[in-house]
Amino acid sequence: MKEFWGRLGYYPVGIVDAVGHKGGIWFLSANLKFSCKIIWVMNQYVTLEIDGGGRRWICSAVYGSPQATNRVELWSHLLDIVCAFRTREGGNFYSNRSSIFASTLDSCGLFDLTTSGRRFTWFRKIQGNKEIAKRLDRACCTTEWRLLFSEAFVEVLSRSHSDHCPLLIRCQGVLIKKENRPFRFQAAWATHPDYKAIVQKSWDSTDFGIHRKLLGVQEVSLEFNSTVFANIFIKKRELEGI
């Protein structure tokens, strides 16, 4: 596997071997100029300190156990990371389990990065040769990290031998045609005093489910960006003299 990824220009910086067909984490990087130091390794996660380009941050690659009781250790680890570094640097849906997951993300100050590519990340054949698909894999970040990499997003790649799709995190973004450009939340919006009220008004304006509510928030956010920030990326390039 190392030779395979090496031919594609990636090198492993943290590995947790699978047990049979269960678990397994491969943390890969394509940037040799970045220093990656492993801080913690357990069967459900690999946590590294990444240093490069004048920026330093903590990143955890996680493979949560399908057993809810085993994930307690994982949630505790994520909370410990946040506490430690804040002190140092400033198929079936289970609503209860989902609530615990959402609560942990909220306690850690984490939110999903914008995703491009496939909608679902996990696929499996079940009885009758039917296929079920779920969004089990995601990349999350803090507001501070988002400010460091304002154009970052996640690409969901096609799977090969695994039932999970690989996630490719593009920290600097790529040039995407306008009609295919994914929606990306800009942390700068949240600094404007009017933005929260605009989002709340949009969210409360429809009763047609979460999907429609999110689409509404996306629409008003893009309009807000256009009228208030007047395309912050153009301004950024102008200030940088690009």
Side-chain angles (χ1 to χ4, degrees):
M1 285 297 292
K2 290 183 180 180
E3 290 183 6
F4 169 78
W5 287 113
R7 288 196 296 269
L8 295 177
Y10 295 92
Y11 70 97
V13 294
I15 297 175
V16 173
D17 290 325
V19 179
H21 295 289
K22 296 181 180 179
I25 300 171
W26 277 68
F27 196 118
L28 306 169
S29 175
N31 195 329
L32 292 170
K33 295 179 181 179
F34 278 38
S35 168
C36 299
K37 176 184 176 183
I38 296 177
I39 302 176
W40 293 286
V41 179
M42 292 290 286
N43 60 339
Q44 295 187 79
Y45 54 81
V46 177
T47 297
L48 302 100
E49 183 177 69
I50 303 173
D51 193 343
R55 291 171 287 195
R56 184 165 59 94
W57 68 96
I58 302 299
C59 186
S60 290
V62 172
Y63 192 115
S65 169
Q67 301 296 323
T69 52
N70 293 339
R71 290 198 296 270
V72 173
E73 178 191 3
L74 174 60
W75 305 148
S76 177
H77 170 69
L78 294 176
L79 289 169
D80 286 344
I81 292 175
V82 173
C83 291
F85 286 92
R86 276 183 178 169
T87 300
R88 212 174 85 185
E89 299 184 10
N92 292 323
F93 178 75
Y94 299 96
S95 59
N96 183 50
R97 295 178 188 177
S98 175
S99 177
I100 294 172
F101 176 66
S103 176
T104 302
L105 291 184
D106 185 59
S107 297
C108 293
L110 295 169
F111 59 88
D112 280 354
L113 277 172
T114 303
T115 302
S116 172
R118 292 169 173 259
R119 180 182 177 187
F120 300 108
T121 66
W122 177 86
F123 301 83
R124 177 165 293 176
K125 297 285 186 181
I126 58 174
Q127 190 174 9
N129 207 34
K130 293 182 179 179
E131 189 175 69
I132 59 173
K134 297 182 180 181
R135 184 174 177 245
L136 295 182
D137 309 271
R138 62 188 68 214
C140 302
C141 69
T142 62
T143 301
E144 292 82 2
W145 191 91
R146 190 55 161 161
L147 289 171
L148 285 176
F149 300 98
S150 61
E151 298 182 36
F153 69 95
V154 182
E155 223 179 308
V156 181
L157 305 179
S158 297
R159 63 193 179 93
S160 179
H161 300 293
S162 173
D163 49 9
H164 290 267
C165 295
L167 299 184
L168 176 61
I169 300 176
R170 296 190 180 275
C171 292
Q172 302 301 332
V174 293
L175 182 62
I176 301 174
K177 293 182 180 180
K178 186 176 180 181
E179 60 270 21
N180 296 324
R181 187 181 298 276
F183 172 73
R184 289 181 285 186
F185 173 80
Q186 305 302 328
W189 296 342
T191 65
H192 196 283
D194 296 336
Y195 183 66
K196 183 177 180 180
I198 290 172
V199 171
Q200 189 67 56
K201 182 179 179 180
S202 172
W203 187 268
D204 295 338
S205 64
T206 178
D207 295 322
F208 293 106
I210 292 179
H211 180 66
R212 184 65 191 88
K213 287 177 178 287
L214 291 174
L215 287 177
V217 170
Q218 175 177 325
E219 291 170 4
V220 298
S221 295
L222 292 174
E223 182 180 353
F224 177 80
N225 183 64
S226 177
T227 57
V228 178
F229 284 86
N231 197 326
I232 59 177
F233 294 117
I234 292 177
K235 287 187 175 181
K236 178 183 175 182
R237 287 193 290 270
E238 289 176 349
L239 290 172
E240 292 177 341
I242 298 176

